[in-house]
Amino acid sequence: QVQLVESGGGLVKPGGSLRLSCAASGFTFSDYYMSWIRQAPGKGLEWVSYISSSGSTIYYADSVKGRFTISRDNAKNSLYLQMNSLRAEDTAVYYCARGAVARLDYWGQGTLVTVSS
Amino acid sequence: QSVLTQPPSVSGAPGQRVTISCTGSSSNIGAGYDVHWYQQLPGTAPKLLIYGNSNRPSGVPDRFSGSKSGTSASLAITGLQAEDEADYYCQSYDSSLSASVFGGGTKLTVL
């Protein structure tokens, strides 16, 4: 069965960096677009970034452009999100999900990122 | 404000029917892009509920249905049950933003 498992969240100071990972299993990872979506405490869903199956097409929300970098390793069935220059407003649960422009048909359980001094 | 507008909350008694609207514009729903719906139970990750405007993934009860007309879409839940209490989000693609967007979410309370 399809599984997406995020890791790498934690507490970081403003201006700091964090790298999130998403381990995928149960499907042919290299066939699918993948996305990162976040949810601030008590708030709605916000698309952060997506990447095409080959990695050639990438999208970033304006709120993270220039600070976050999405990547993938199809040989390792893994998706990554490098987050630099973190701000308090980046505090959220970060989900990886299968899909992008179309539907997001599977989601991970999420990993919490807290940016605070 | 979200590009897709949903009511912040709806409620209904067990057994009743409720609908949740998702209002967009000519650059998203009105342009013909599909609408998808997600259910987020308390403390859990979102789950795909309806895709392609009106299709249910395997395992989703037929009490849940979706429709789309013009620049809006709707999620209907019939035979409301206590376990339906959750947040619901719509999602579509917006050509002016060149990005997928979510609605602001609707909290469903089962009275």
Side-chain angles (χ1 to χ4, degrees), chain B residues 2-60:
Chain B
S2 302
V3 172
L4 304 178
T5 300
Q6 298 180 234
S9 63
V10 298
S11 62
Q16 284 190 332
R17 177 181 188 270
V18 296
T19 61
I20 298 172
S21 61
C22 175
T23 303
S25 66
S26 58
S27 62
N28 42 68
I29 299 174
Y33 294 107
D34 283 344
V35 178
H36 317 292
W37 291 90
Y38 302 88
Q39 177 193 57
Q40 186 175 31
L41 296 169
T44 69
K47 168 190 138 181
L48 180 65
L49 192 66
I50 297 287
Y51 68 93
N53 307 315
S54 59
N55 302 291
R56 284 186 308 276
S58 173
V60 173

Side-chain angles (χ1 to χ4, degrees), chain B residues 53-110:
Chain B
N53 307 315
S54 59
N55 302 291
R56 284 186 308 276
S58 173
V60 173
D62 59 8
R63 301 187 297 105
F64 296 90
S65 63
S67 63
K68 175 184 147 182
S69 178
T71 59
S72 294
S74 289
L75 172 70
I77 309 171
T78 59
L80 206 55
Q81 298 180 5
E83 58 259 38
D84 298 334
E85 194 160 281
D87 293 323
Y88 293 84
Y89 294 90
C90 61
Q91 175 233 322
S92 187
Y93 182 81
D94 190 282
S95 57
S96 64
L97 298 174
S98 298
S100 286
V101 290
F102 289 104
T106 298
K107 182 175 182 58
L108 168 63
T109 300
V110 180

